[in-house]
Amino acid sequence: MADKLKDKKIIFVVGGPGSGKGTQCEKVVAKYGYTHLSSGDLLRAEVASGSERGKQLQAIMQKGELVPLDTVLDMIKDAMIAKADTSKGYLIDGYPREVKQGEEFEKKIGAPSLLLYIDAKGETMVKRLMKRGETSGRADDNEETIKKRLDLYYKATEPVIAHYESRGIVRKIDSEPPVDEVFKHVAAAIDGLK
Ligand SMILES: Nc1ccn([C@@H]2O[C@H](COP(=O)(O)OP(=O)(O)OP(=O)(O)O)[C@@H](O)[C@H]2O)c(=O)n1
Ligand SMILES: Nc1nc2c(ncn2[C@@H]2O[C@H](COP(=O)(O)OP(=O)(O)O)[C@@H](O)[C@H]2O)c(=O)[nH]1
Ligand SMILES: [Mg+2]
């Protein structure tokens, strides 16, 4: 029941691949007790399960393309409902990837109170992802797929930020400084919510 999700705080965490979304979300969980849902992690869990659907997802992700909207949205919604009894709010990490994803989310679940825009330079993101690729085991942390993910980010995801800017809920966070420095600004944005 989506009713369970009424009146829960929702924060969209948007930024390019390797910008530091996941890193900052972990720190928000530790300080504020929000529930962190990374759409990419949910998809990777489905791939790891070895299901038929997971096999199709893997092929799409390996190419750095977007998984069909309904697939990701259903996974996020199910995960939100599963945590609803204990959760005070949700960090939706890596979603929406395109304006349409945001619109469908709002129809089926609810409106975000805040959009954290985690911003790093393209070259920084590539550097971080290549480094992460040394240990992450992720099939998409390789030079070719990183380039595609970045291109798609600029084309499809950056317009998401402009879309929410007119509502006054976007907080742009410079993610070039060290993690703890970045987190001070993230925390200030969340403190401003109440
Ligand atoms: N809403 C989403 C989220 C993820 N994906 C797919 O899952 C891949 C990995 O997503 P994610 O982990 O969010 O990747 P990035 O943001 O690129 O990287 P990071 O883990 O570094 O955040 C994407 O490239 C894409 O193929 C998708 O299609 N739709
Ligand atoms: N120097 C620096 N590195 C960071 C920062 N945030 C994340 N990283 C590193 O960059 C990589 C990608 O971060 P991650 O949180 O997975 O990014 P995401 O792709 O946006 O979820 C990881 O290896 C992090 O250790 C930061 O603020 N400063
Ligand atoms: Mg991530």
Side-chain angles (χ1 to χ4, degrees), residues 15-19 21-22 38-41 43-44 60-62 64-68 72 76 93-97 101 129 132 138 140-141 149:
S19 59
K21 302 179 296 292
S38 158
S39 50
D41 286 350
L43 292 168
R44 283 185 285 278
I60 296 169
M61 292 165 75
Q62 182 126 25
E65 293 170 2
L66 288 183
V67 166
V72 193
I76 292 175
D93 166 5
Y95 188 103
R97 285 295 226 269
Q101 288 192 356
L129 290 173
R132 188 176 73 184
R138 276 179 54 170
D140 57 354
D141 279 348
R149 286 155 67 197

